[in-house]
C-alpha cells in the first residue's frame, strides 16, 4: 500500500545542505508492523513525516494505494491524512485546552462525521485504550503514559489504514512502554498497518519487520523487494 | 470549528478573553456614540438658514473717536460708509444694522402682544435696526404686509419673522396691524437664522430707527455678486478708511464663516470623537493583529497537530478567524448594551438624540471587518508553519 | 548595580527580540495616555483652584432686585446693577469688596493723535479687586479710594506696548477721548480659570490690559461689552452718568471677601435685612432670592461648565481604559510567549525577587518610552482640540508638576499593564511550564 521509489529529501539552510534521505526505495504492505531504527539524525523522523505527507520530498515518488501524492493540493493532502493516516508523536501533542474527549473528536470533526457517529467512535477508542473514565480530563491532568494512550486513541478513532508512530514510547518508563506496545500490536492485529520509529531493540524485534536507516539510506533486514517486482505489483 | 469548542477554548483563556471583550465593548460603545454626535452636528449645520451664506459679508466696526459714536455724527458716518461701499464693483446692496445674523451676542428683548403680556410674553428676541435696504441686503422674502421704508424712520412700525409671528398669533398673516410692546407690526418676513441662544434661532424683530450710540460698535452688511466676493473683501478696508480713518474694523466675515462658527462646539466635539473612534478602531485592529500573531506563534504546535490530523490550511484559517469573530461577536453584543449606557451618560452632560439600533449594529459590523482584516495576515502566517517542525518534540 | 544593568540589558534584549509587538503595546499605551493627558490638562486648568489660599473666603452675592413684579421669577439676575452694588457694598462686613465688568476701548499716547489707536481690553473695577484676587503690583499701587479718578492701572504687557518699558507710573495715556494718569503697573498676572468673570462665560479668556475706576466708567458712559440687561424704559445711550447709576441697568459682577464663617453668616443676615427693608419700601416686588455663592461653586452656579469638554473627558477616560486593557492584553501575550524562558530561569535558580527586578526594568523602559510618546500624542491632541474648540486655547500649558504627574501616571499605567502578565509568567507553577 506504500511504495517509495528513489525518494530523496534534502534540507537546505543558508549554511549547509543535509541529505536527510537518499534514494530510498520502500514497499510496505497492508497489515504490516514495521519498526524503523537507526542512529540519531539518520532521517527516521523525516521518512515518517514524508510518509504522513507532513513534509514534501525533492526527488523520486511516493505512491499511496497506488496513487502518487505528488502535486496533490493542500486540501487533498489534508483529506488523505485525515482519512488514511494516524499519527502518534513522542511528545503526545495533545491540545492542552481541550478535554480528552475533544482531543479525540478533532480528526472526526475534520472528517465531517455526525455527532452521534463521532461519539460512538470516541467511546470505542477510549474503551480500547482503557481511559473511558477520564474522558473529561484535560491532558495536563494525565500521566505521560495515559497521555500517550489518548494520543493513540485519537490516532485510531478515525480508523486509519496506516499508523505512523515516532518514538511513541520515548518518553515513557518501561512498564508504560510495554503497555503501549501491546496496544499497538492489538491495533495491528485488527488490520492496521503500523510504522514505528524506535530506539528499543526489543521493540524492533517484536515488530514483524525491521527497517534500518543509516545516513538517510535504508537497510531492510527482512523483506526487500527489488524495484521491478514493485512495479509489477 | 464547532461553537462549543470555541467557547471552551475561550473559557480556558479567561483573562485574555475578558480583556479583549472589555476592550471591544468599550470600542463599540464609543464608536456608535461618536457617530451619533457627528450626525447630530451634521444635522444641526444643515438646518435651513434663510440666508445667502456665501454672498453676504458682514463688517463689524466701531469708531475710535468718541465724537463719532454718538448720533447724529454716527448716522452721518454710517451713510457715508455705505455710500462708499456701494461704489465697490460687485457690491449689490449695502445696509447697516446693530447685529449680524448667526453671530453670538447682540440686542435682545422680550416681545408680547400689547395687553396680553401674561400669555404671549417671549423672552430673548433679537431686536434689529433695519433700514429699507437691509431687505435686499439679506435677500429676505416678504410673506405678509410690507417691509420698512424710509418713512418708517423713528416710528413705531416693526417687521417680524414668520416663526415669531406664528408664536405670537398662531398664524402669521394675523400679525399684520397688531400692536406689540416692540411696536406695530406692518410686515412678516420668512425665517432667518439669527441668534442661536435667543428663545428660538428663527426669531427676529426689525425696526427703522437712528442708532443713538455705538458703544458696542455696529455692523455693515453687504450683498455681493458671487464671483466678486474675494475682490470686494480686499477693497473694504481701504474704502472704509478713506471715508474715516478713526474707526476700528474688527472683522470682515462672510455669513458662511459665521455659520461654521455657529455650531463650532458641536462640530468640534463631533470631530474630536470621530478622531478618537478612529484611534479606537486602530487600537482594536492592532490588538486583533498582535493577538493573532502571538497566538499563532504560541499555538504553532497546536496548529501543527491539527494539520497532522487532517485540517487543511483553509480550515485552520477559518478556525483562527472564527475565534476572533466569536469574541468580536460577544464584544459587539455587550457593546450594544454599553452603547446605550454611554448614550445615557453623555445625555446627562450634553444634548444628544436617542440612539437608533442600526447605528451600533453598523458599528459592530465595522468592528468585525477591521478585526477580520487585522487577523487575516497573522492567521495566514500561522497556517504556513510546517506541521513537521511544529509537532517535533521540544 | 551590576544586577540592575543586567536587568536593563535583558529588558532591551527582550524588546529587540520582538520589536513590533512591543512597540505596538507601547504605542497603544501612549495613545491612551496621550489623549487622557491632553484632556486632563484642559480639565485641570478649567477646574483647578486659582487661589487656593483664599478661595474659601470669596463670595458672589445676588439679590432678586428687578422692579417689575413677577411672582414666578425666582432666580436673581446673573449680573448686578449699580444700585445693587451700592446696597450690597454698604454692610461693612467683608474685608474686601469690589464690583467690576469687562469693557473695551481704544488707547493711544497723548502726543500721537495721527497714529490709529490700539484696541484694549478694559476691566472696570474698584480698588479692592487687586486685594480680592491677590493681584501683584510691579510699580505704583492701587487707587487710593473708590471715588471717580482719572487714573489707570496697566498690565505689564500693555505698559511695555505703549511705552516700551514697565515703570510708567505718572505717565499719561489717552483712552477714548480722555486723558488718564497711570497710577500702577501690574506684574504678569493671569488667573486661570478666570472665576471672577464666569457670569459671562469668560472663564478662560485672558486678563485685561487696562483697569479703570468704577465710578469713572459711569461718568464717561463706559459700559460692559459682555452681558448687559436693562429692565426699564430709560435710554441708556443718553446721560449714562445718571441713568446708569439710577436705572435698572444690569452689567456688573460683585465679589466680597468673607474670611470667617461668622462673617459669612453676618453677611447673609445683612442681605436678608436689606431685602426686607427694600420690600417694605416697595423696591423688591419679586420673591426673595438671595444668593451668596462661593467662588469655587460659581461655575456650577452659572451653569457655565464646558459640557463639550466634560463629554470629551468622559470619553477619553474610556479610551484610556480601552488602551490599558488592550496593552495589558498584549503584554500578557508577550509574557506568555516568554513563559518558557521564565520557567527555565527559575529552574536555573533565579529567585522571585530577581525576577521581579527583571520585570521592573522592563516596566521602567516601557514607561520612559510611553511617557515620551504620550507627551507627543497629548501635544498633538491639544493643538487639535484648541483649533476645534477655540475657547480652550489658553488652557494648554504644562507646568513641571503636571509633567511629573504624567510621568508618574505613565509609570503606574505601565506597571499595571505589566503586573498581571508578569505575575502569571513568573509565579505560575513551574512544572506546568516546563512539561
Ligand atoms: N527542518 C529541518 N531543516 C534542516 N535540517 C533538518 C530539518 N529536519 C531535520 N533535519 C536534518 O535532517 C536529518 C535527519 O533528521 P531526523 O529528524 O529525520 O533524524 P532522526 O533520525 O529522527 O533522529 P532522532 O533519532 O534523533 O530523532 C538531521 O541531520 C537533521 O539535522
Ligand atoms: Mg526523530
Amino acid at each position: 500500500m506504500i511504495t517509495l521509489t528513489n525518494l530523496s529529501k534534502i534540507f537546505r539552510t543558508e549554511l549547509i545542505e543535509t541529505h536527510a534521505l537518499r534514494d530510498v526505495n520502500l514497499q510496505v504492505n497492508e497489515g504490516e508492523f514495521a519498526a524503523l531504527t537507526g542512529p540519531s539524525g539518520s532521517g527516521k523522523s523525516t521518512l515518517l513525516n514524508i510518509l504522513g505527507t507532513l513534509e514534501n520530498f525533492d526527488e523520486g515518488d511516493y505512491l499511496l494505494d497506488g496513487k502518487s501524492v505528488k502535486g496533490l493540493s493542500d486540501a487533498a493532502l489534508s483529506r488523505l491524512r485525515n482519512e488514511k493516516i494516524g499519527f502518534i508523536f513522542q511528545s503526545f501533542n495533545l491540545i492542552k485546552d481541550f478535554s480528552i474527549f475533544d482531543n479525540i473528536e478533532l480528526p472526526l470533526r475534520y472528517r465531517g462525521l455526525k455527532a452521534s457517529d463521532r461519539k460512538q467512535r470516541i467511546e470505542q477508542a477510549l474503551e480500547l485504550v482503557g481511559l473511558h473514565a477520564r474522558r473529561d480530563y484535560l491532558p495536563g491532568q494525565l500521566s505521560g503514559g495515559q497521555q500517550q494512550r489518548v494520543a493513540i486513541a485519537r490516532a485510531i478513532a478515525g480508523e486509519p489504514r496506516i499508523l505512523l508512530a515516532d518514538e511513541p514510547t520515548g518518553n515513557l518508563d518501561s512498564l508504560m512502554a510495554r503497555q503501549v506496545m501491546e496496544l499497538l500490536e492489538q491495533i495491528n492485529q485488527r488490520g492496521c498497518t503500523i510504522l514505528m520509529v524506535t530506539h528499543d531493540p526489543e521493540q524492533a524485534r517484536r515488530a514483524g519487520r525491521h527497517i534500518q536507516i543509516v545516513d538517510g539510506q535504508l537497510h531492510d533486514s527482512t523483506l526487500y523487494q527489488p524495484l521491478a517486482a514493485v512495479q509489477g505489483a | 470549528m464547532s461553537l462549543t469548542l470555541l467557547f471552551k477554548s475561550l473559557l480556558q483563556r479567561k483573562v485574555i478573553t475578558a480583556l479583549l471583550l472589555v476592550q471591544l465593548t468599550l470600542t463599540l460603545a464609543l464608536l456608535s456614540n461618536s457617530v451619533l454626535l457627528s450626525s447630530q452636528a451634521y444635522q444641526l449645520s444643515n438646518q435651513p438658514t434663510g440666508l445667502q451664506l456665501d454672498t453676504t459679508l458682514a463688517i463689524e466696526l466701531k469708531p475710535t473717536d468718541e465724537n463719532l459714536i454718538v448720533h447724529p455724527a454716527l448716522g452721518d458716518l454710517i451713510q457715508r460708509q455705505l455710500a462708499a461701499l456701494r461704489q465697490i464693483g460687485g457690491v449689490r446692496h449695502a445696509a447697516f444694522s446693530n447685529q449680524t445674523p448667526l453671530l453670538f451676542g447682540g440686542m435682545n428683548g422680550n416681545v408680547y402682544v400689547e395687553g396680553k403680556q401674561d400669555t404671549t410674553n417671549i423672552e430673548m428676541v433679537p431686536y434689529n435696526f433695519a433700514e429699507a435696504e437691509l431687505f435686499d441686503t439679506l435677500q429676505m422674502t416678504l410673506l405678509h404686509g410690507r417691509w420698512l421704508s424710509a418713512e418708517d424712520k423713528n416710528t413705531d412700525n416693526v417687521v417680524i419673522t414668520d416663526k415669531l409671528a406664528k408664536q405670537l398669533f398662531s398664524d402669521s398673516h394675523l400679525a399684520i396691524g397688531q400692536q406689540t410692546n416692540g411696536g406695530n407690526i406692518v410686515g412678516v418676513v420668512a425665517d432667518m437664522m439669527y441668534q442661536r441662544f435667543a428663545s428660538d434661532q428663527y426669531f427676529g424683530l426689525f425696526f427703522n430707527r437712528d442708532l443713538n450710540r455705538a458703544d458696542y460698535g455696529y455692523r455693515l452688511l453687504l450683498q455681493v455678486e458671487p464671483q466678486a466676493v474675494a475682490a470686494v473683501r480686499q477693497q473694504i478696508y481701504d474704502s472704509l478708511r478713506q471715508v474715516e480713518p478713526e474707526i476700528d474694523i474688527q472683522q470682515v466675515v462672510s455669513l458662511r464663516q459665521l455659520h461654521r462658527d455657529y455650531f463650532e462646539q458641536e462640530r468640534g466635539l463631533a470631530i474630536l470623537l470621530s478622531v478618537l473612534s478612529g484611534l479606537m478602531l486602530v487600537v482594536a485592529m492592532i490588538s486583533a493583529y498582535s493577538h493573532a500573531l502571538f497566538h499563532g506563534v504560541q499555538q504553532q504546535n497546536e496548529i501543527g497537530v491539527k494539520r497532522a490530523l487532517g485540517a487543511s490550511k483553509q480550515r485552520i484559517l477559518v478556525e483562527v478567524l472564527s475565534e476572533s469573530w466569536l469574541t468580536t461577536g460577544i464584544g459587539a453584543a455587550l457593546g450594544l448594551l454599553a452603547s446605550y449606557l454611554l448614550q445615557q451618560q453623555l445625555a446627562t452632560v450634553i444634548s444628544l438624540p436617542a440612539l437608533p439600533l442600526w447605528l451600533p449594529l453598523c458599528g459592530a459590523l465595522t468592528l468585525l471587518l477591521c478585526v477580520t482584516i487585522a487577523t487575516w495576515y497573522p492567521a495566514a502566517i500561522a497556517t504556513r508553519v510546517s506541521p513537521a517542525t511544529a509537532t517535533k518534540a521540544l | 548595580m551590576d544586577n540592575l544593568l543586567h536587568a536593563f540589558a535583558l529588558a532591551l534584549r527582550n524588546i529587540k527580540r520582538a520589536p513590533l509587538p512591543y512597540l505596538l503595546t507601547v504605542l497603544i499605551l501612549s495613545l491612551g495616555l496621550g489623549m487622557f493627558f491632553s484632556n486632563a490638562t484642559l480639565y485641570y486648568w478649567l477646574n483647578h483652584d486659582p487661589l487656593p489660599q483664599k478661595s474659601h473666603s470669596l463670595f458672589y452675592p445676588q439679590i432678586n432686585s428687578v422692579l417689575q413684579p413677577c411672582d414666578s421669577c425666582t432666580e436673581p439676575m446673573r449680573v448686578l446693577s449699580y444700585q445693587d452694588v451700592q446696597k450690597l457694598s454698604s454692610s461693612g462686613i467683608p474685608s474686601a469688596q469690589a464690583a467690576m465688568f469687562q469693557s473695551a476701548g481704544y488707547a493711544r499716547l497723548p502726543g500721537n493723535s495721527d497714529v490709529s489707536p490700539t484696541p484694549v481690553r478694559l476691566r472696570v473695577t474698584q480698588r479692592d479687586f487687586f486685594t480680592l484676587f491677590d493681584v501683584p503690583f510691579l510699580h505704583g499701587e492701587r487707587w487710593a479710594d473708590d471715588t471717580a479718578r482719572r487714573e489707570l492701572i496697566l498690565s505689564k504687557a500693555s505698559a511695555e506696548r505703549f511705552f516700551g518699558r514697565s515703570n510708567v507710573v505718572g505717565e499719561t495715556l489717552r483712552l477714548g477721548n480722555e486723558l488718564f494718569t497711570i497710577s500702577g503697573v501690574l506684574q504678569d498676572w493671569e488667573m486661570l480659570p478666570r472665576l471672577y468673570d464666569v457670569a459671562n462665560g469668560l472663564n478662560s479668556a485672558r486678563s485685561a490690559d487696562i483697569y479703570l475706576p468704577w465710578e469713572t466708567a459711569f461718568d464717561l458712559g463706559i459700559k460692559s461689552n459682555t452681558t448687559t440687561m436693562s429692565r426699564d424704559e430709560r435710554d441708556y445711550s443718553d446721560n449714562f452718568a445718571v441713568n446708569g447709576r439710577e436705572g435698572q441697568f444690569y452689567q456688573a459682577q460683585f465679589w466680597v471677601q468673607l474670611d470667617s464663617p461668622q462673617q459669612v453668616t453676618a453677611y447673609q443676615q445683612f442681605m436678608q435685612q436689606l431685602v426686607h427693608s427694600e420690600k417694605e419700601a416697595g423696591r423688591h416686588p419679586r420673591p426673595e432670592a438671595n444668593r451668596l455663592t462661593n467662588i469655587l461653586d460659581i461655575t456650577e452656579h452659572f451653569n457655565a461648565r464646558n459640557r463639550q469638554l466634560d463629554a470629551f473627558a468622559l470619553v477619553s477616560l474610556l479610551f484610556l481604559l480601552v488602551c490599558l486593557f488592550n496593552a495589558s492584553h498584549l503584554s500578557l501575550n508577550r509574557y506568555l510567549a516568554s513563559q518558557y524562558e521564565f520557567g527555565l530561569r527559575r529552574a536555573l535558580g533565579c529567585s522571585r525577587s530577581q525576577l521581579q527586578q527583571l520585570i521592573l526594568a522592563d516596566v521602567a523602559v516601557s514607561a520612559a518610552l510611553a511617557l515620551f510618546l504620550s507627551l507627543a500624542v497629548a501635544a498633538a491632541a491639544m493643538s487639535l482640540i484648541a483649533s476645534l474648540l477655540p475657547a480652550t486655547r489658553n488652557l494648554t500649558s504644562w507646568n513641571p508638576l503636571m509633567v511629573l504627574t504624567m510621568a508618574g501616571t505613565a509609570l503606574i499605567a505601565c506597571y499595571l499593564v505589566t503586573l498581571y502578565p508578569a505575575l502569571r509568567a513568573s509565579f505560575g507553577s513551574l512544572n506546568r511550564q516546563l512539561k
Side-chain angles (χ1 to χ4, degrees):
Chain A
M1 83 177 298
I2 291 172
T3 311
L4 301 182
T5 43
N6 301 339
L7 187 131
S8 291
K9 172 73 187 177
I10 304 166
F11 286 112
R12 290 189 177 84
T13 54
E14 281 158 29
L15 290 175
I16 43 163
E17 283 189 358
T18 317
H19 286 259
L21 294 173
R22 300 169 208 252
D23 248 347
V24 170
N25 289 296
L26 177 67
Q27 161 92 34
V28 180
N29 293 322
E30 188 98 45
E32 276 192 275
F33 192 153
L36 271 168
T37 57
S40 181
S42 56
K44 307 178 295 289
S45 296
T46 309
L47 179 61
L48 223 56
N49 284 337
I50 289 175
L51 289 175
T53 74
L54 292 180
E55 195 120 58
N56 49 15
F57 45 90
D58 298 292
E59 275 159 45
D61 203 357
Y62 168 23
L63 304 185
L64 185 63
D65 284 335
K67 278 190 231 98
S68 174
V69 302
K70 247 192 200 163
L72 287 182
S73 73
D74 177 67
L77 283 177
S78 300
R79 199 164 58 242
L80 200 110
R81 278 199 293 274
N82 185 253
E83 284 170 3
K84 295 194 177 165
I85 302 169
F87 285 93
I88 301 168
F89 306 95
Q90 177 178 357
S91 52
F92 326 136
N93 277 330
L94 298 175
I95 292 176
K96 287 198 293 278
D97 300 342
F98 287 6
S99 71
I100 305 311
F101 186 91
D102 293 336
N103 260 293
I104 302 174
E105 196 182 27
L106 209 54
L108 304 178
R109 276 179 184 280
Y110 290 144
R111 197 179 289 184
L113 293 182
K114 276 193 304 199
S116 54
D117 283 357
R118 293 203 299 259
K119 189 152 190 255
Q120 196 197 340
R121 285 182 188 230
I122 297 165
E123 310 258 281
Q124 279 174 6
L126 277 174
E127 205 74 64
L128 187 71
V129 299
L131 284 171
H132 205 269
R134 306 237 148 99
R135 45 176 284 175
D136 290 326
Y137 279 44
L138 288 174
Q141 297 164 321
L142 296 184
S143 78
Q146 287 167 329
Q147 287 193 43
Q148 192 60 300
R149 281 190 278 155
V150 173
I152 292 171
R154 180 175 68 182
I156 59 161
E159 292 176 359
R161 308 248 312 282
I162 308 162
L163 201 57
L164 300 172
D166 196 345
E167 300 182 43
T169 58
N171 279 350
L172 306 176
D173 68 29
S174 54
L175 182 69
M176 281 289 176
R178 200 165 310 131
Q179 281 182 9
V180 167
M181 261 319 273
E182 276 161 15
L183 200 55
L184 288 178
E185 276 163 6
Q186 210 180 326
I187 293 162
N188 179 244
Q189 270 151 28
R190 295 171 166 205
C192 182
T193 313
I194 298 182
L195 264 100
M196 177 181 75
V197 172
T198 180
H199 285 289
D200 184 346
E202 205 233 323
Q203 282 181 11
R205 227 172 295 124
R206 280 171 72 164
R209 183 177 170 189
H210 185 185
I211 304 166
Q212 268 188 305
I213 308 185
V214 177
D215 245 354
Q217 284 174 309
L218 282 198
H219 299 274
D220 200 339
S221 60
T222 44
L223 272 164
Y224 181 74
Q225 293 188 319
L227 197 59
V230 175
Q231 277 162 344
Chain B
M1 184 138 77
S2 89
L3 220 54
T4 43
L5 270 189
L6 271 179
F7 269 118
K8 276 188 198 167
S9 77
L10 284 186
L11 279 178
Q12 279 293 311
R13 284 175 277 120
K14 280 186 215 83
V15 179
I16 285 197
T17 311
L19 289 177
L20 204 64
L21 284 182
V22 170
Q23 173 197 320
L24 285 166
T25 307
L26 290 178
T27 304
L28 185 61
L30 200 54
L31 195 64
S32 33
N33 278 288
S34 35
V35 174
L36 185 67
L37 263 174
S38 311
S39 73
Q40 188 195 20
Y42 181 80
Q43 269 170 17
L44 277 179
S45 57
N46 275 303
Q47 295 171 106
T49 60
L51 296 161
Q52 303 294 319
L53 295 178
D54 292 306
T55 56
T56 315
L57 294 180
I59 308 162
E60 279 193 71
L61 66 177
K62 186 176 173 185
T64 52
D65 180 346
E66 292 196 346
N67 297 319
L68 288 173
I69 68 168
V70 224
H71 184 73
L74 175 65
D76 175 59
L77 172 65
I78 292 174
Q79 288 316 316
R80 282 187 290 137
Q81 285 172 329
L82 287 174
L85 290 172
R86 289 188 190 108
Q87 296 299 308
I88 300 175
V91 173
R92 293 171 57 206
H93 303 283
F96 131 85
S97 186
N98 60 325
Q99 55 200 345
T100 314
L102 303 174
L103 196 61
F104 172 70
M107 184 167 145
N108 296 300
N110 58 338
V111 176
Y112 53 87
V113 181
E114 209 62 80
K116 297 185 197 163
Q117 181 172 6
D118 297 347
T119 51
T120 58
N121 189 36
I122 301 171
E123 300 275 346
M124 292 275 280
V125 174
Y127 272 62
N128 306 300
F129 285 76
E131 47 186 18
E133 203 168 337
L134 187 67
F135 186 82
D136 287 326
T137 306
L138 288 181
Q139 301 277 292
M140 296 186 208
T141 313
L142 188 67
L143 297 181
H144 308 288
R146 62 179 181 83
W147 178 247
L148 302 166
S149 68
E151 279 85 68
D152 293 309
K153 190 73 164 240
N154 297 327
T155 64
D156 198 24
N157 293 341
V158 297
V159 169
I160 59 175
T161 55
D162 190 32
K163 194 156 187 189
L164 179 58
K166 282 185 177 135
Q167 174 91 16
L168 287 171
F169 306 103
S170 76
D171 204 339
S172 64
H173 72 269
L174 298 175
I176 306 298
Q178 299 275 0
Q179 188 69 34
T180 66
N181 65 320
N184 175 40
I185 299 168
V186 297
V188 175
V189 289
D191 287 336
M192 285 169 287
M193 210 181 248
Y194 244 88
Q195 279 271 310
R196 177 150 192 208
F197 298 100
S199 294
D200 187 288
Q201 56 184 1
Y202 293 116
F203 284 174
L205 184 144
F206 302 87
F207 53 89
N208 192 351
R209 222 172 284 167
D210 285 319
L211 186 61
N212 279 337
R213 274 183 74 95
D215 285 318
Y216 310 108
Y218 57 91
R219 280 86 191 146
L220 299 176
L221 300 168
L222 302 179
Q223 184 58 235
V224 182
E225 302 284 355
Q227 69 280 3
V229 175
V232 169
R233 284 183 80 139
Q234 284 196 335
Q235 295 173 58
I236 286 173
Y237 286 89
D238 284 342
S239 162
L240 289 175
R241 288 223 188 287
Q242 261 168 22
V243 175
E244 173 56 63
E246 277 289 321
I247 50 163
D248 174 28
I249 303 174
Q250 286 155 350
Q251 65 169 349
V252 177
V253 282
S254 70
L255 292 195
R256 172 68 68 196
Q257 286 165 279
L258 292 180
H259 184 250
R260 213 168 286 146
D261 297 345
Y262 197 68
F263 296 111
E264 189 177 60
Q265 294 270 314
E266 284 80 1
R267 215 176 56 103
L269 187 64
I271 295 178
L272 279 179
L273 287 184
S274 308
V275 169
L276 212 57
S277 10
L279 283 179
M280 282 220 168
L281 280 184
V282 170
V283 166
M285 282 178 83
I286 292 180
S287 123
Y289 168 82
S290 353
H291 180 71
L293 194 72
F294 273 121
H295 212 57
V297 175
Q298 208 191 333
Q299 310 295 79
Q300 255 181 22
N301 168 267
E302 197 176 307
I303 289 174
V305 175
K306 286 178 178 169
R307 298 269 288 135
L309 295 177
S312 64
K313 283 185 185 177
Q314 249 173 330
R315 176 139 197 165
I316 299 281
L317 194 66
V318 171
E319 277 184 17
V320 176
L321 279 178
S322 53
E323 190 186 314
S324 70
W325 285 334
L326 182 68
T327 30
T328 313
I330 301 174
L334 293 174
L336 210 70
L337 272 174
S339 299
Y340 284 95
L341 285 179
L342 182 60
Q343 194 269 349
Q344 275 176 6
Q345 283 307 304
L346 282 175
T348 61
V349 185
I350 47 177
S351 70
L352 198 65
L355 190 65
L357 185 63
W358 61 266
L359 225 165
L361 285 182
C362 284
L365 281 182
T366 315
L367 205 57
L368 202 63
L369 190 72
C370 286
V371 168
T372 308
I373 293 172
T375 316
W376 195 277
Y377 175 68
I381 291 185
T383 62
R384 233 173 278 153
V385 179
S386 149
T389 2
T391 52
K392 222 180 241 172
L394 284 169
Chain C
M1 193 62 211
D2 182 44
N3 260 340
L4 207 66
L5 281 181
H6 176 69
F8 274 105
L10 276 179
L12 286 177
R13 215 199 55 203
N14 260 338
I15 298 168
K16 256 197 242 157
R17 195 164 48 190
L20 186 66
Y22 180 78
L23 283 181
L24 289 179
T25 313
V26 176
L27 179 73
I28 286 182
L29 208 58
S30 317
L31 279 178
L33 286 172
M35 288 316 260
F36 177 70
F37 288 162
S38 67
N39 231 286
T41 308
L42 298 181
Y43 206 81
Y44 171 78
W45 286 122
L46 273 181
N47 293 300
H48 94 293
D49 183 351
L51 294 167
Q53 67 284 3
K54 67 187 305 186
S55 55
H56 65 276
S57 64
L58 298 177
F59 293 87
Y60 190 90
Q62 290 165 280
I63 50 175
N64 201 2
S65 67
V66 180
L67 285 175
Q68 281 170 329
C70 166
D71 288 340
S72 59
C73 302
T74 53
E75 263 311 304
M77 301 279 250
R78 293 164 78 99
V79 278
L80 281 70
S81 68
Y82 185 89
Q83 290 296 321
D84 289 348
V85 172
Q86 287 296 98
K87 289 168 194 157
L88 288 169
S89 304
S90 64
S91 71
I93 299 165
S95 39
Q97 57 189 12
M100 63 200 76
F101 59 83
Q102 175 184 288
S103 188
Y106 297 95
R108 65 182 106 189
L109 292 177
N112 315 1
S113 47
D114 34 313
V115 180
S116 61
T118 313
V120 285
R121 290 184 305 265
L122 297 178
R123 176 143 297 259
V124 171
T125 188
Q126 297 173 313
R127 72 192 292 263
D128 276 354
F129 175 87
F130 307 95
T131 331
L132 281 172
F133 304 114
D134 285 349
V135 190
F137 274 79
L138 187 62
H139 303 290
E141 54 188 8
R142 57 193 189 137
W143 303 302
D145 56 45
D146 279 334
T147 55
R149 54 184 66 235
R150 298 290 164 99
E151 285 176 10
L152 298 179
I153 292 169
L154 265 61
S155 74
K156 186 178 171 213
S158 41
E160 282 166 354
R161 191 169 52 175
F162 286 106
F163 299 95
R165 62 202 158 85
S166 64
N167 192 355
V168 294
V169 174
E171 299 280 349
T172 41
L173 189 69
R174 201 175 122 194
L175 186 64
N177 286 356
E178 307 295 327
L179 282 178
F180 289 84
T181 314
I182 294 163
S183 63
V185 177
L186 303 180
Q187 277 178 27
D188 276 328
W189 176 71
E190 288 287 348
M191 181 166 148
L192 259 183
R194 228 166 53 135
L195 293 177
Y196 58 85
D197 212 355
V198 168
N200 291 313
L202 290 170
N203 52 350
S204 60
R206 283 169 46 220
S207 296
D209 300 317
I210 295 178
Y211 297 82
L212 183 79
W214 166 258
E215 296 292 345
T216 315
F218 278 86
D219 286 346
L220 297 177
I222 294 173
K223 298 169 208 158
S224 162
N225 68 344
T226 57
T227 315
T228 61
M229 283 177 272
S230 56
R231 283 288 181 269
D232 54 20
E233 301 299 318
R234 284 174 195 255
D235 179 4
Y236 290 101
S237 53
D238 191 41
N239 197 7
F240 191 71
V242 174
N243 283 329
R245 284 187 170 106
E246 291 177 354
Q248 296 192 66
F249 190 80
Y250 294 83
Q251 64 171 352
Q253 295 131 348
F254 184 57
W255 288 96
V256 296
Q257 181 176 340
L258 303 167
D259 295 311
S260 64
Q262 291 78 8
Q263 270 184 318
V264 175
T265 334
Y267 197 79
Q268 276 165 337
Q269 279 164 0
F270 156 73
M271 286 172 75
Q272 258 170 19
Q273 278 156 13
L274 172 70
V275 168
H276 285 165
S277 65
E278 288 287 297
K279 268 192 183 303
E280 272 164 27
R283 289 195 299 262
H284 195 294
R286 295 196 173 188
E288 176 175 338
N290 298 347
R291 304 277 182 270
L292 189 64
T293 314
N294 183 263
I295 196 165
L296 294 181
D297 306 322
I298 199 76
T299 317
E300 211 54 65
H301 179 64
F302 286 130
N303 193 19
R305 290 187 65 85
N306 190 325
R307 305 286 163 191
Q308 259 70 23
L309 281 185
D310 281 356
F312 193 55
L314 178 67
V315 167
S316 81
L317 200 65
L318 284 183
F319 183 65
L320 177 63
L321 264 184
V322 170
C323 289
L324 282 181
F325 276 115
N326 206 318
S328 72
H329 170 198
L330 291 191
S331 79
L332 180 56
N333 273 330
R334 198 163 86 91
Y335 272 93
L336 285 182
S338 52
Q339 198 176 33
Y340 177 72
E341 197 191 302
F342 271 94
L344 208 60
R345 259 178 218 289
R346 279 180 60 206
L348 294 177
C350 181
S351 75
R352 287 185 174 186
S353 71
Q354 279 169 323
L355 222 50
Q356 276 290 304
Q357 251 178 27
L358 289 184
I359 294 163
L360 281 179
D362 197 30
V363 168
V365 173
S366 311
L369 214 62
L371 177 68
F372 190 70
L373 264 175
S374 60
L375 287 184
V377 172
M382 283 201 299
S383 71
L384 180 71
I385 295 173
S387 74
L388 292 172
L389 304 171
T392 63
R393 208 158 281 161
N394 295 322
L395 308 174
T396 54
S397 60
W398 283 329
N399 59 32
L401 190 71
M402 288 166 83
V403 175
L404 216 64
T405 316
M406 290 183 207
T409 315
L411 198 67
I412 292 173
C414 283
Y415 191 65
L416 278 182
V417 155
T418 322
L419 189 64
Y420 173 76
L423 284 181
R424 209 169 120 173
S426 55
F427 296 124
S429 74
L430 254 184
N431 55 3
R432 235 190 119 169
Q433 287 163 20
L434 288 181
K435 209 170 195 173

